[in-house]
């Protein structure tokens, strides 16, 4: 049987914005080496491979270079495809992944993803990372996956022009650069760089917001009460909007998605 294939713009409210993801619908397991080859051929920041299992779906994500443990935008894209292209009638989707069980639910035009929060722990970063970014940090740390850098202004986030060759040598999956937003409709602004994963700049990164939200929840607290509902803008060339609600040790991401391409893989 041919393998159905979709291209989806995730965390996008209009076509050709947000973050592109490929979604491949499998009926049986595909060899890892073939999944990696397909992801490299498609060459998006993430390609998702989803197949039905008992009580849900198995979901795996591959960059052009390797398999990753967690990906927000490709999970959003996969949920969109299952509901809107394959007419799954489940109220909630359950995905078994390398980061445990993840849940997706629909609310109007938005899809909500229940992910683990990954707050940053303050620690110095290598001079190599700071030199590669060319910024002046006011906070440095690391999350479960990435280096985390806060700068003083939105303009410094937007004007950041990393040395990707130097950044690729650092031993991290990616680097988040963030600041408080000047736009009242957003709480914070960010960008995400991951040349070591084969993606110089990721357009919109769901998993990064699992780190961004816990940090900004405390920074934007009113008195002793953290801000639990946040809205972030990722200021890549395509741009994208991510809503986040913090629930204990979980981060519930929300966003919209749009199908751009419907097709079939010619190899299996």
């Amino acid at each position: 049987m041919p393998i159905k294939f979709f291209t989806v713009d995730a965390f996008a409210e209009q076509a050709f914005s947000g973050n592109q993801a490929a979604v491949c619908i499998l009926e049986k397991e595909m060899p890892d080496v073939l999944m990696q080859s397909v992801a490299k051929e498609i060459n998006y920041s993430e390609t998702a491979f989803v197949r039905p299992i008992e009580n849900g779906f198995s979901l795996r994500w591959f960059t052009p270079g390797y398999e990753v443990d967690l990906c927000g935008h490709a999970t959003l894209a996969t949920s969109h495809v299952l509901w809107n292209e394959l007419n799954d009638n489940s109220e909630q989707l359950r995905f078994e992944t390398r980061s445990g069980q993840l849940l997706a639910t629909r609310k109007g035009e938005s899809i909500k993803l229940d992910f683990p929060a990954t707050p940053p722990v303050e620690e110095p970063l290598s001079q190599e990372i700071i030199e590669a970014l060319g910024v002046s940090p006011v906070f440095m740390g690391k999350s479960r996956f990435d280096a985390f850098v806060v700068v003083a202004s939105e303009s410094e986030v937007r004007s950041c022009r990393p040395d990707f060759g130097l950044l690729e040598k650092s031993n991290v999956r990616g680097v988040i650069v963030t600041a408080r937003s000047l736009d009242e409709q957003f709480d914070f602004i960010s960008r995400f760089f991951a040349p070591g994963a084969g993606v110089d700049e990721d357009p919109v990164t769901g998993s990064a917001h699992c780190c961004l939200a816990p940090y900004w929840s405390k920074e934007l607290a009113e008195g002793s009460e953290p801000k639990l509902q946040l809205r972030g803008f990722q200021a890549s060339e395509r741009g994208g909007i991510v809503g986040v609600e913090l629930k204990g040790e979980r981060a519930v991401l929300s966003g919209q998605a749009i199908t751009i391409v419907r097709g079939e893989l010619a190899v299996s």
Side-chain angles (χ1 to χ4, degrees):
M1 294 291 292
I3 295 172
K4 291 183 178 180
F5 162 86
F6 300 86
T7 293
V8 175
D9 287 349
F11 295 115
E13 296 181 356
Q14 59 185 12
F16 313 119
S17 63
N19 201 351
Q20 298 165 298
V23 180
C24 299
I25 310 298
L26 307 181
E27 294 188 359
K28 61 181 181 179
E29 288 192 70
M30 178 183 281
D32 289 10
V33 65
L34 183 53
M35 286 192 282
Q36 186 61 76
S37 295
V38 169
K40 185 175 181 179
E41 182 78 10
I42 293 171
N43 202 36
Y44 290 159
S45 60
E46 299 286 350
T47 297
F49 296 86
V50 61
R51 63 182 176 86
I53 58 174
E54 187 176 0
N55 298 321
F57 297 89
S58 167
L59 179 60
R60 296 172 70 179
W61 312 279
F62 287 78
T63 75
Y66 60 84
E67 184 173 10
V68 298
D69 290 334
L70 186 66
C71 179
H73 86 277
T75 305
L76 183 73
T78 301
S79 303
H80 167 82
V81 166
L82 292 173
W83 275 319
N84 295 283
E85 300 294 338
L86 303 183
N87 300 314
D88 189 289
N89 59 8
S90 304
E91 295 260 338
Q92 186 178 69
L93 299 173
R94 296 176 181 271
F95 298 111
E96 296 298 332
T97 77
R98 285 169 55 147
S99 289
Q101 186 179 91
L102 305 178
L103 304 177
T105 56
R106 283 188 286 188
K107 187 173 182 180
E109 294 183 356
S110 289
I111 295 172
K112 292 185 176 291
L113 306 175
D114 187 335
F115 275 27
T118 56
V121 176
E122 186 171 12
E123 65 174 87
L125 298 178
S126 69
Q127 189 58 39
E128 188 175 65
I129 291 176
I130 303 307
E131 182 181 341
L133 293 173
V135 299
S136 300
V138 297
F139 176 94
M140 294 183 289
K142 287 186 178 179
S143 72
R144 174 182 168 189
F145 301 113
D146 305 307
F148 186 82
V149 177
V150 182
V151 295
S153 68
E154 176 174 320
S155 61
E156 194 168 1
V157 174
R158 290 183 177 275
S159 64
C160 182
R161 299 291 182 269
D163 180 333
F164 291 118
L166 184 58
L167 199 59
E168 186 175 1
K169 297 176 183 178
S170 62
N171 190 29
V172 293
R173 182 190 77 156
V175 181
I176 302 165
V177 180
T178 184
R180 188 166 181 167
S181 177
L182 292 175
D183 189 331
E184 291 184 357
Q185 66 177 315
F186 304 115
D187 295 295
F188 57 86
I189 187 171
S190 68
R191 291 172 69 191
F192 183 82
F193 308 108
V199 183
D200 283 350
E201 180 167 6
D202 196 35
V204 192
T205 316
S207 61
H209 285 74
C210 296
C211 174
L212 286 157
Y215 175 85
W216 287 110
S217 173
K218 293 180 179 179
E219 289 296 306
L220 301 175
E222 297 180 1
S224 60
E225 294 297 321
K227 187 169 187 179
L228 300 180
Q229 299 267 4
L230 301 113
R231 201 162 186 252
F233 179 72
Q234 193 157 327
S236 63
E237 182 178 348
R238 290 171 65 93
I241 299 167
V242 183
V244 192
E245 180 181 3
L246 289 174
K247 293 185 174 181
E249 296 182 352
R250 308 293 293 181
V252 180
L253 310 180
S254 62
Q256 299 180 34
I258 301 167
T259 302
I260 303 298
V261 174
R262 302 179 181 97
E264 296 176 350
L265 292 181
V267 296
S268 62

